[in-house]
Amino acid sequence: MSEQTLVDVQDLVIEFDTPKGRVRVVDGVSFSVSPGEVLGILGESGSGKTMSTQAILGLIGGYPGVMGGQINLNDQGVTYELLKDLPSFISERRGQPEKNERAWRKHRYAQMKKLWGRAITSIFQNPRRSLDPLMTVGQQVKESIQARESHKDALERLNDQAQTEEALEWLAKVQMVDPARVYHSYPHELSGGMCQRAMIAVALACKPSILVADEPTTGLDATVRAQIVHLLQDLIKAEQCAMLYITHDIREMLYLADRVIVMRHGKVLEQVSANDLKEHALERHEYTQVLLDAAGMIGAHDE
Amino acid sequence: MTGQSTGQSTRQSTWYSTWYSTWHSAWKEQPLSFKLSSIIVVLVLCFGVINPFISYDPVLDVELSRRDLAPSWEYWMGTDGQGRSVALRLFKGIEAFFFPGLIAGLFAAFVGGVLGALCGYFGGWIGRSLSAVLELIDTLPRMVFLVLICTIFPPSILLISIISSVLFIPSIATIIRRKVEALGAEDYILAHVAHGFHPLKIISYHILWLQCRALLTRQMIFVFSYVLFIETALSYLGDYGVQEPYPSWGNMVAQSRISAVAWPWALPALAIIITIAALLAFGDGIARREEEVKR
Amino acid sequence: MNKPLLSARNLHKVFKSPGGKQTVAIDQVDLDLYTGEVVALIGESGSGKTTLGRALLRLISLDQGQVQFLDQDLLALKGSELRQARRQFQMIFQNQQANLHPRLSVAEMMDESLVLHHPEQSAAERQSMMNTLLDQVGLSNHHDRYLASLSGGEQRRVGLARILATSPKLVVADEPTSGLDAAIKLQTIELLKTLKGESLTYLLISHDLGLVRRIADRVLVMLRGRIIEEISIQDLGMIKHHPYTQKLLEASNLGKKTDIEHTQYKNASIEDVRGHSIGCHYCSLCPLLANTPELKDLCYSQRPTLTQQVACFSLSKERELV
Amino acid sequence: MSQIGLDHPQQKSAMLNEATIRWSLWLGSKLLRGLSLLCGASFIIYATLRSAPGDMVDLILGLNGTPEMKADLRAEFGLDLNIIEGYGRWAWRALSGDLGISITFMPGEPVLSLAGPAFLVTLSIAVVSLLCSIAVAYGLAILLGPPRPRQAFLLGPIQLLNAAPSFVVAICLAKVINELIQFQLAGGGQIPPSWYPIPTYQKITDSIAPFCFAALSISLGDGLFTDLFNALRAELMSLNESLFISAVRAKGAAVRKHLIKNLIVPTLSVFTARLPLVLSAVVIVEYIFTLDGSGYLLLQAAKNRDVPVVVGVSLFFIFAVIVMNLILDLVKALVDPREVAKGD
């Protein structure tokens, strides 16, 4: 892994037990993200795109979860091999590999504890449900500032007043109309679009080196969606933060991403630059063409 | 012949053979707790049905010379302080709660189901006033109200079971109402109206029968077990339930006050716990089975 | 043009929440649907498009207005007459699971519909009819399947087959492709096109402009319970639209960033429109007002009606001049 | 950034005002509902009384009632009026503290002075048992974590408790403790003379021990503990898998605070659902441990067919259910702002 990569994923394998037996949701996926780059993962429901990113974050729920591969995460010049200890948690039983999921999760949480927020953080698909319903939005933004500050020396830490002010500043940065009011609001009092903006504030207030955005616009209205996408683009540039952007909407992808990975059935079909996807649509993989067609982009190109 | 018929067997088989095959395969994949509990439930059911045809004489047979015998081959749950067989009394005691429980369960499930479905379907002021009445009934502490009833009216186990089933109607209706409202929230009912079905058919068939039968069965079993509980509690108190010398699990447990040995009261107490546990597990199992949507 | 299949006049609907708050869901809507055409209703969530679709089919009561379907006054129908009439207009619901019953197999469900709508037929006739219908939607071997074992696209298709069993004249399709994967979405669109034939009319409720471009003949734009613009599909994106329509089109395109004149309104979302009780709904966000300040008073005090196919004083004047 | 400040006085006061109005509206509607429930429930009791077979006065007084007593009683229950007016008069008297006079159980004693102190005992048992079960359930749920397969051995006994009526638990508890104490003191083998739990500890524990055991058996029996435990674990599981907990993790903050706060509401919901059952259980368990609570009073009075006492105690119970529900709602609203928002 070169110095210039933030995240490097090699041959990631994720499996789940279902009533019908074990299913391989992610099958040997590899990709990497460099600093300041926006990598898009394009795929439809069930393509394993969310699972691969959850695996990087160490947040996979379900059994047995990650079963193989390598994930390297770069934090301030230090590279962490996140899946190095994985084989020691896997044993053979009745001809099938079994994993001690509980112990692994504990191990993983301990490992990620110092990386969450600082090296990597994430925003999720359902903004209403990704904010704690019992806490005001301001407190939640402040919480991530606190978490960030707790890594620093006691002398360099911001005091409480400064943290509150920074939280307000963040709410203004995500273009809330009335930050002071939003600061004291609970998530149920905000609209979906505002919740997602608050969520972006929560995530970026950690000052991460890479932000994972998991379909942040799904379920939002078209105009609100456009706002969120524009906002993300502006902020990512301003904060010099890399982004892993997951979506099934090819238009968003073309707009935001520098490089695009197309996934289907847990496998990477192709990796292209956004420009290629736009300009040379007809040279793309069959499935990518279907996606482009469904979004009405090939037809327009032909004419 | 088998080779030819396999392709169409699902089509041409009679209703009972499909029924049998589905239940046979379903039985095999059930957890152990469900199997055990259903065996106990079936046992209780058998005894409950047979009991009225068995005479009381051996149960009431007092013989002081054989009092307090430990469990043996002859009296395999021992005998009590008056020399009566505990096992026989235990089985005969099922009669005290079986039919009242059955009636109460059926009544509560039927009325609660219909009321709940109506509340959930209509909403508006009908739903609101109905649910207000139901909430009112729900505030009455059940045991206290039952004692009040027993003080004013001549106590009988049938009255008790009817009252307790009435007291359970609100909770059943609420469960059904929530279910119907959840269905309504995903435009499910509207879709059926749009298709042209009669509202009565939607309520009775599409909602109550197809969607809520498992829930209702479970609630029915729950009410049954509650009547068992109430009956034993009241018989234990000694003034309202089944009176000595007639056996009931409650007044058998009440022998703990006077009995010198453990089995005359401990075994009925165990029977109460096990039966209620089996009933609950059985109800849960049925509900779970129905929840796993057919594939 | 000939007589419309369905014509609605002056529809009004107000929802009252328990707290006494009133939301205007449909506000003075006139609508004509002609046999064989596909009309798309677009707008953001909360614009009242789903409510309008349902109200037209008598699934929601209206506060005011008339709906004429063929020669019947739809709002006057009651009880069994209404249920009889329902077979002529059907609805595809947004949530495909809502269309089907999870505890009935495909065959049972189809049979149920056929018994209801063709009671005169014998069991054998129904069986053959069911087979043709399921063939039509491409599900010939799925008789014994249950909802849970069908994929999203298959669920949609069973719903379609069930609707076709009533041989309807009008189908209101509420987001018929939402939640479907791209390939299946394309299939479903093709299927909808084929099934339409000559005589079936669709009212398509969608926010997916890709879908709208593919099958619609005419587009209606809704904002806050009002139809603010009517566009034929050839004109979509080609002429100067109502500023709200323009914003919708841009948002779905994402390709170019919003215009400079829009920047100050960039972050004002549709929720900011809620406040205006008089005047044009969009007046405070309208970029056209910068060019035509003389209309300001008018826009802030009167609600524009649909003239020259657009509910905007400035635009309708402009079009009149052309 | 100076124009956006938290301490803009006007804004703060405006927000405060709005919140106060919302809260007072919510509280008012809850109080109103509680009041109407109280009226309704007492009306049900009155109607039950009126619908008794035969003449109610004869039923209450039996054969030895003098004509004056009969007339008194008629006036008290408003029997000479129609049912609504009669209820009005009866409710008014009850409200002003006149619940009538005990007739057969403790003749001449006012019901209020009988039932009031007794009810305090009952209430404290109910509260202690609820708190007790919550403490144990919380502890176990957090210790065991979310449900996992292969825990059946551990959980079997806990699930079996679901089926144990509290009076059975109470009897077993009394018996076992009795046996244990006898064993220690007398060297075993001796048969305890009565079912009373700790005869030899009477000096110190005459009242405290039965109280504790009553509370313990209520909190274990009737599925109270099991229900709480199951609800907590299920909630813990869904919380652990919920998006916002993932989000909290992903930003590197501590999860525990969020978990605990979000667990409070489901716990309270179980409480609300279980309250009538707990009060029912108290009645019979008090009887077993001969605690001087209102349950014991109720059963003794019922045995003696002392209708005024039974009715008075029932009213107390209903009142308690409504008030406790109100308190639980209040706590829920304090924790969860959504409650107030949807309340009106």
Side-chain angles (χ1 to χ4, degrees):
Chain A
M1 176 174 170
S2 73
E3 278 297 299
Q4 284 306 306
T5 349
L6 280 177
V7 177
D8 184 43
V9 179
Q10 294 297 329
D11 301 321
L12 186 68
V13 175
I14 301 174
E15 294 180 335
F16 285 120
D17 279 345
T18 65
K20 286 174 188 163
R22 191 160 285 189
V23 178
R24 191 167 272 210
V25 223
V26 174
D27 190 4
V29 165
S30 312
F31 58 84
S32 61
V33 187
S34 326
E37 183 191 34
V38 178
L39 175 69
I41 301 186
L42 183 66
E44 301 184 310
S45 51
S47 61
K49 56 188 193 308
T50 298
M51 280 305 147
S52 341
T53 50
Q54 295 280 46
I56 301 170
L57 282 161
L59 288 174
I60 282 197
Y63 179 84
V66 183
M67 289 303 274
Q70 279 179 355
I71 298 174
N72 296 330
L73 195 63
N74 193 336
D75 179 37
Q76 295 168 355
V78 188
T79 303
Y80 297 88
E81 290 180 44
L82 295 178
L83 299 185
K84 196 172 68 182
D85 306 324
L86 180 62
S88 63
F89 288 91
I90 297 178
S91 57
E92 190 93 0
R93 187 192 286 171
R94 288 191 208 132
Q96 214 179 17
E98 293 274 328
K99 193 169 98 184
N100 188 347
E101 165 62 21
R102 204 170 145 86
W104 168 246
R105 189 182 291 204
K106 223 175 200 169
H107 176 76
R108 197 80 166 80
Y109 281 1
Q111 205 179 21
M112 288 303 291
K113 195 105 205 173
K114 54 182 181 286
L115 296 173
W116 275 327
R118 206 162 63 156
I120 190 166
T121 192
S122 125
I123 53 179
F124 297 108
Q125 194 182 108
N126 192 332
R128 276 178 186 287
R129 288 200 297 152
S130 45
L131 290 167
D132 187 338
L134 306 186
M135 219 186 227
T136 61
V137 170
Q139 274 174 311
Q140 300 190 46
V141 179
K142 200 172 155 185
E143 208 183 25
S144 52
I145 298 169
Q146 276 166 354
R148 185 192 76 204
E149 295 294 314
S150 67
H151 289 295
K152 291 185 186 164
D153 292 335
L155 285 176
E156 291 171 17
R157 261 178 226 167
L158 291 173
N159 63 8
D160 193 64
Q161 182 63 32
Q163 286 180 1
T164 312
E165 265 165 29
E166 197 188 327
L168 274 169
E169 221 169 286
W170 270 109
L171 288 176
K173 267 192 205 172
V174 293
Q175 294 165 346
M176 292 287 191
V177 179
D178 186 356
R181 195 187 177 82
V182 171
Y183 187 94
H184 289 290
S185 303
Y186 287 93
H188 70 270
E189 295 163 337
L190 304 181
S191 68
M194 279 162 98
C195 276
Q196 193 57 284
R197 278 189 248 168
M199 202 51 219
I200 293 173
V202 166
L204 288 180
C206 303
K207 301 234 157 95
S209 22
I210 179 164
L211 172 71
V212 177
D214 186 358
E215 305 209 23
T217 60
T218 308
L220 299 176
D221 265 330
T223 51
V224 182
R225 229 162 124 157
Q227 285 167 20
I228 296 281
V229 170
H230 292 149
L231 180 67
L232 263 178
Q233 201 195 30
D234 295 348
L235 283 177
I236 290 293
K237 229 174 247 165
E239 299 291 317
Q240 297 175 326
C241 168
M243 182 159 75
L244 196 56
Y245 193 84
I246 303 159
T247 187
H248 62 259
D249 189 323
I250 205 158
R251 291 165 185 278
E252 281 176 19
M253 200 50 97
L254 290 176
Y255 184 69
L256 267 177
D258 302 324
R259 210 148 48 84
V260 178
I261 287 176
V262 185
M263 275 185 80
R264 193 187 196 191
H265 299 322
K267 287 194 168 117
V268 174
L269 289 187
E270 64 175 342
Q271 207 176 128
V272 285
S273 72
N275 252 346
D276 276 359
L277 197 58
K278 214 179 298 181
E279 306 297 327
H280 310 287
L282 292 174
E283 294 160 27
R284 298 274 70 84
H285 191 280
E286 250 176 82
Y287 176 69
T288 317
Q289 286 193 26
V290 171
L291 288 179
L292 284 164
D293 188 18
M297 306 213 42
I298 285 193
H301 199 80
D302 281 351
E303 283 161 23
Chain B
M1 180 212 135
T2 45
Q4 285 174 343
S5 64
T6 41
Q8 295 186 330
S9 63
T10 46
R11 285 270 140 151
Q12 297 187 343
S13 54
T14 50
W15 65 270
Y16 51 84
S17 67
T18 36
W19 187 85
Y20 172 78
S21 65
T22 47
W23 274 93
H24 184 69
S25 60
W27 175 256
K28 272 198 292 189
E29 65 194 40
Q30 288 305 317
L32 184 68
S33 62
F34 181 75
K35 288 182 185 169
L36 276 180
S37 62
S38 47
I39 289 172
I40 294 169
V41 169
V42 167
L43 273 180
V44 169
L45 212 68
C46 290
F47 277 112
V49 174
I50 296 168
N51 263 329
F53 306 107
I54 300 174
S55 90
Y56 267 104
D57 298 343
V59 177
L60 305 180
D61 187 13
V62 177
E63 178 58 67
L64 290 179
S65 63
R66 54 164 197 248
R67 58 192 287 210
D68 291 341
L69 290 181
S72 64
W73 273 116
E74 194 181 351
Y75 299 105
W76 45 283
M77 286 189 192
T79 56
D80 64 5
Q82 295 173 50
R84 299 170 297 195
S85 162
V86 174
L88 268 183
R89 284 176 70 79
L90 199 64
F91 292 137
K92 190 67 183 169
I94 291 175
E95 192 176 328
F97 62 80
F98 185 74
F99 283 106
L102 218 56
I103 291 167
L106 284 173
F107 181 71
F110 182 74
V111 178
V114 169
L115 283 183
L118 288 179
C119 280
Y121 186 87
F122 287 112
W125 67 269
I126 302 178
R128 249 178 285 143
S129 51
L130 259 178
S131 52
V133 171
L134 296 180
E135 192 183 3
L136 189 62
I137 296 176
D138 217 16
T139 25
L140 298 171
R142 289 172 188 151
M143 193 76 191
V144 177
F145 191 65
L146 277 172
V147 170
L148 178 76
I149 293 281
C150 288
T151 321
I152 294 169
F153 297 95
S156 80
I157 186 67
L158 199 69
L159 178 73
I160 289 168
S161 58
I162 292 292
I163 296 291
S164 47
S165 79
V166 168
L167 292 179
F168 261 99
I169 286 173
S171 63
I172 296 178
T174 312
I175 291 170
I176 299 298
R177 199 188 73 197
R178 288 219 188 100
K179 173 99 183 169
V180 175
E181 279 170 355
L183 289 177
E186 48 187 58
D187 296 337
Y188 178 87
I189 291 167
L190 216 53
H192 280 79
V193 172
H195 202 66
F197 289 111
H198 196 281
L200 269 182
K201 176 160 185 181
I202 299 174
I203 293 182
S204 59
Y205 179 69
H206 291 115
I207 295 175
L208 270 182
W209 173 243
L210 287 174
Q211 292 279 29
C212 299
R213 57 186 175 196
L215 270 178
L216 283 176
T217 316
R218 186 174 166 205
Q219 288 302 314
M220 199 197 104
I221 292 171
F222 187 68
V223 174
F224 183 87
S225 74
Y226 188 74
V227 170
L228 162 57
F229 162 71
I230 277 288
E231 191 281 320
T232 47
L234 291 178
S235 298
Y236 172 80
L237 294 174
D239 298 311
Y240 314 108
V242 176
Q243 307 286 326
E244 280 278 353
Y246 293 103
S248 134
W249 290 5
N251 64 28
M252 289 171 84
V253 171
Q255 288 182 354
S256 67
R257 286 179 233 184
I258 46 163
S259 176
V261 286
W263 49 86
W265 64 267
L267 289 175
L270 203 64
I272 292 172
I273 296 179
I274 288 179
T275 312
I276 294 180
L279 283 168
L280 295 181
F282 184 68
D284 282 352
I286 286 184
R288 203 178 332 112
R289 164 124 192 83
E290 283 272 326
E291 284 303 308
E292 291 165 5
V293 182
K294 291 179 181 177
R295 285 179 196 278
Chain C
M1 228 182 199
N2 50 351
K3 218 173 141 216
L5 174 74
L6 178 139
S7 88
R9 287 289 167 272
N10 203 16
L11 304 184
H12 273 279
K13 174 75 188 173
V14 178
F15 282 120
K16 290 188 191 78
S17 69
K21 238 164 105 184
Q22 293 195 344
T23 344
V24 183
I26 306 174
D27 187 6
Q28 216 185 341
V29 165
D30 296 344
L31 183 73
D32 284 317
L33 299 178
Y34 295 93
T35 307
E37 72 172 344
V38 180
V39 177
L41 205 55
I42 64 172
E44 290 184 289
S45 58
S47 60
K49 52 191 197 311
T50 299
T51 313
L52 178 59
R54 289 179 182 186
L56 289 177
L57 302 191
R58 277 291 305 270
L59 291 171
I60 291 177
S61 68
L62 279 164
D63 295 340
Q64 216 185 79
Q66 294 101 41
V67 180
Q68 195 86 14
F69 183 78
L70 291 175
D71 295 326
Q72 289 169 307
D73 181 4
L74 211 57
L75 300 183
L77 292 181
K78 277 206 180 76
S80 63
E81 277 181 346
L82 176 63
R83 284 196 298 279
Q84 201 60 44
R86 280 203 189 285
R87 54 190 284 189
Q88 302 188 327
F89 45 87
Q90 285 287 316
M91 180 146 189
I92 304 174
F93 282 83
Q94 177 169 13
N95 180 355
Q96 66 249 26
Q97 310 228 335
N99 291 310
L100 309 174
H101 202 293
R103 298 210 188 282
L104 292 175
S105 69
V106 172
E108 281 169 322
M109 250 180 308
M110 291 301 296
D111 199 49
E112 197 183 53
S113 305
L114 289 170
V115 169
L116 181 72
H117 293 292
H118 305 277
E120 70 287 349
Q121 287 180 333
S122 70
E125 278 174 324
R126 284 204 303 270
Q127 184 71 36
S128 70
M129 195 164 169
M130 182 199 307
N131 288 339
T132 31
L133 282 171
L134 286 178
D135 277 347
Q136 237 179 319
V137 296
L139 291 174
S140 25
N141 304 321
H142 292 63
H143 292 264
D144 293 327
R145 303 274 291 276
Y146 286 88
L147 178 70
S149 66
L150 296 169
S151 69
E154 285 167 339
Q155 287 172 357
R156 279 262 175 249
R157 279 188 271 169
V158 175
L160 268 177
R162 210 179 172 197
I163 281 166
L164 291 176
T166 67
S167 36
K169 294 198 169 65
L170 169 68
V171 171
V172 175
D174 191 353
E175 309 277 4
T177 58
S178 73
L180 296 182
D181 286 345
I184 298 166
K185 191 165 146 186
L186 290 179
Q187 280 175 20
T188 311
I189 293 172
E190 286 309 310
L191 186 65
L192 280 172
K193 269 183 177 168
T194 10
L195 293 180
K196 197 182 93 53
E198 288 293 299
S199 57
L200 193 56
T201 309
Y202 284 136
L203 178 65
L204 182 74
I205 298 168
S206 180
H207 61 244
D208 181 355
L209 285 172
L211 168 68
V212 170
R213 281 215 175 85
R214 263 161 211 270
I215 56 174
D217 302 322
R218 196 148 61 94
V219 181
L220 302 173
V221 187
M222 264 188 107
L223 170 69
R224 304 279 294 118
R226 286 192 155 229
I227 293 179
I228 54 156
E229 192 169 7
E230 186 184 341
I231 320 159
S232 71
I233 198 71
Q234 294 87 3
D235 290 345
L236 188 68
M238 299 295 156
I239 56 169
K240 193 167 184 186
H241 289 302
H242 188 286
Y244 174 67
T245 314
Q246 196 69 35
K247 194 171 179 182
L248 272 184
L249 291 177
E250 278 165 14
S252 76
N253 248 331
L254 273 177
K256 58 176 175 180
K257 249 189 168 173
T258 7
D259 298 354
I260 309 150
E261 51 181 2
H262 252 86
T263 32
Q264 56 173 315
Y265 312 106
K266 194 171 86 178
N267 301 305
S269 64
I270 199 69
E271 282 139 30
D272 302 319
V273 180
R274 300 254 149 107
H276 306 291
S277 52
I278 50 167
C280 171
H281 283 304
Y282 209 65
C283 55
S284 64
L285 300 176
C286 186
L288 293 180
L289 271 183
N291 307 336
T292 52
E294 71 275 9
L295 284 173
K296 192 164 182 178
D297 286 344
L298 191 62
C299 288
Y300 272 89
S301 61
Q302 256 187 53
R303 197 150 286 176
T305 48
L306 204 65
T307 41
Q308 300 294 318
Q309 304 193 320
V310 64
C312 175
F313 293 118
S314 150
L315 267 186
S316 56
K317 205 183 222 173
E318 211 171 291
R319 287 188 192 174
E320 227 165 279
L321 294 176
V322 174
Chain D
M1 268 301 105
S2 58
Q3 76 270 31
I4 316 160
L6 270 187
D7 31 27
H8 198 290
Q10 211 172 345
Q11 187 151 33
K12 211 166 189 179
S13 73
M15 277 175 80
L16 220 73
N17 256 338
E18 201 180 299
T20 328
I21 290 170
R22 216 176 325 136
W23 263 94
S24 43
L25 269 177
W26 178 84
L27 206 64
S29 72
K30 284 278 168 197
L31 279 175
L32 206 68
R33 216 189 61 174
L35 210 64
S36 55
L37 277 182
L38 192 63
C39 285
S42 55
F43 182 73
I44 290 181
I45 288 192
Y46 182 74
T48 319
L49 275 179
R50 287 285 290 243
S51 63
D55 189 1
M56 205 182 78
V57 175
D58 286 341
L59 177 86
I60 295 171
L61 286 178
L63 296 171
N64 45 7
T66 61
E68 296 92 74
M69 281 171 83
K70 283 190 181 181
D72 248 18
L73 213 61
R74 268 179 203 287
E76 188 193 329
F77 282 104
L79 290 185
D80 34 6
L81 302 166
N82 70 20
I83 191 160
I84 304 289
E85 283 177 48
Y87 167 72
R89 183 185 298 175
W90 175 77
W92 180 247
R93 289 180 68 150
L95 216 62
S96 56
D98 180 10
L99 287 173
I101 288 168
S102 169
I103 293 164
T104 48
F105 176 51
M106 286 192 139
E109 194 80 13
V111 173
L112 193 67
S113 66
L114 272 177
F119 196 74
L120 280 183
V121 178
T122 303
L123 207 61
S124 47
I125 294 177
V127 169
V128 166
S129 55
L130 277 173
L131 292 181
C132 185
S133 60
I134 241 201
V136 183
Y138 247 100
L140 260 181
I142 288 171
L143 198 74
L144 293 174
R148 265 174 296 141
R150 303 194 198 112
Q151 277 189 343
F153 280 114
L154 196 69
L155 295 181
I158 293 178
Q159 302 301 339
L160 209 60
L161 269 183
N162 197 9
S166 50
F167 77 97
V168 173
V169 176
I171 292 164
C172 295
L173 214 59
K175 278 286 180 186
V176 166
I177 285 161
N178 223 347
E179 287 291 324
L180 281 182
I181 304 294
Q182 287 288 325
F183 194 85
Q184 278 172 359
L185 294 175
Q190 217 168 15
I191 294 153
S194 84
W195 51 272
Y196 189 67
I198 315 177
T200 39
Y201 269 43
Q202 266 169 359
K203 274 177 236 153
I204 328 157
T205 55
D206 214 8
S207 54
I208 297 172
F211 181 89
C212 291
F213 288 126
L216 186 64
S217 42
I218 290 165
S219 56
L220 288 181
D222 280 342
L224 173 66
F225 169 73
T226 321
D227 257 22
L228 257 177
F229 178 71
N230 285 343
L232 279 178
R233 287 191 96 196
E235 192 60 29
L236 207 59
M237 179 160 87
S238 65
L239 273 180
N240 252 327
E241 279 169 14
S242 71
L243 265 183
F244 75 85
I245 291 291
S246 292
V248 171
R249 283 215 170 91
K251 73 183 180 189
V255 177
R256 183 162 301 149
K257 193 171 77 184
H258 296 264
L259 275 182
I260 289 175
K261 213 170 177 191
N262 276 283
L263 270 181
I264 294 175
V265 176
T267 323
L268 291 179
S269 304
V270 176
F271 261 38
T272 319
R274 277 279 154 174
L275 203 60
L277 272 179
V278 168
L279 285 175
S280 296
V282 176
V283 173
I284 189 161
V285 170
E286 263 177 11
Y287 183 79
I288 291 174
F289 288 103
T290 46
L291 279 164
D292 236 353
S294 54
Y296 190 62
L297 179 69
L298 178 83
L299 290 173
Q300 293 298 342
K303 204 176 249 175
N304 294 313
R305 301 208 147 252
D306 196 340
V307 176
V309 176
V310 173
V311 170
V313 173
S314 313
L315 285 180
F316 262 100
F317 269 92
I318 288 166
F319 188 67
V321 169
I322 290 168
V323 169
M324 278 172 97
N325 266 333
L326 213 62
I327 293 172
L328 287 177
D329 277 348
L330 196 67
V331 176
K332 218 189 273 185
L334 282 176
V335 177
D336 191 345
R338 285 171 295 182
E339 290 288 323
V340 184
K342 82 179 173 203
D344 53 3

